[in-house]
Amino acid sequence: MKTTADPMRKKSLRGFASMSLEQRRKIASMGGKRAHALGTAHRFTSEEASAAATKGQSLGRAHQFTTEEAAAAGRLGGMERARRRKLAKEQAARTNAA
């Protein structure tokens, strides 16, 4: 049984805590697919999303990005997307070469 990284804690990791990130994502994906198949999953309409954002802003919970923060976030997102595409192409090339 796996234990926590802190040697002072004696608590064992159980359930999701003992699973790898990949295993947790797989289980979550299956749950989401099942919910959609059953028709119990919720998809926000643009009106609902707008209302939720307005509510968060009115309560002071929404972060107001400066132009610089928004630009930095967009740049990081673009770089991550490019990195993932590059990895996918490399994996496809390795698969085709094998």
Side-chain angles (χ1 to χ4, degrees):
M1 188 177 279
K2 296 179 185 178
T3 58
T4 60
D6 185 359
M8 299 300 290
R9 291 184 69 185
K10 301 288 183 192
K11 189 174 182 179
S12 297
L13 298 179
R14 298 176 293 195
F16 286 104
S18 67
M19 295 180 191
S20 70
L21 180 61
E22 184 178 307
Q23 289 173 315
R24 290 188 304 232
R25 284 186 175 164
K26 183 178 179 183
I27 291 171
S29 174
M30 291 187 318
K33 289 176 184 176
R34 179 73 174 151
H36 281 285
L38 293 173
T40 58
H42 182 73
R43 286 187 179 245
F44 281 97
T45 64
S46 60
E47 292 82 18
E48 287 176 314
S50 178
T54 303
K55 181 179 178 182
Q57 290 169 353
S58 68
L59 295 174
R61 294 182 181 156
H63 179 73
Q64 299 296 320
F65 284 98
T66 63
T67 304
E68 293 81 18
E69 288 176 320
R75 194 168 28 259
L76 286 174
M79 291 169 59
E80 178 62 18
R81 183 177 182 187
R83 186 186 71 80
R84 288 184 183 174
R85 283 185 173 180
K86 182 179 176 183
L87 285 174
K89 284 182 181 180
E90 289 172 356
Q91 287 176 345
R94 276 188 250 130
T95 302
N96 292 338

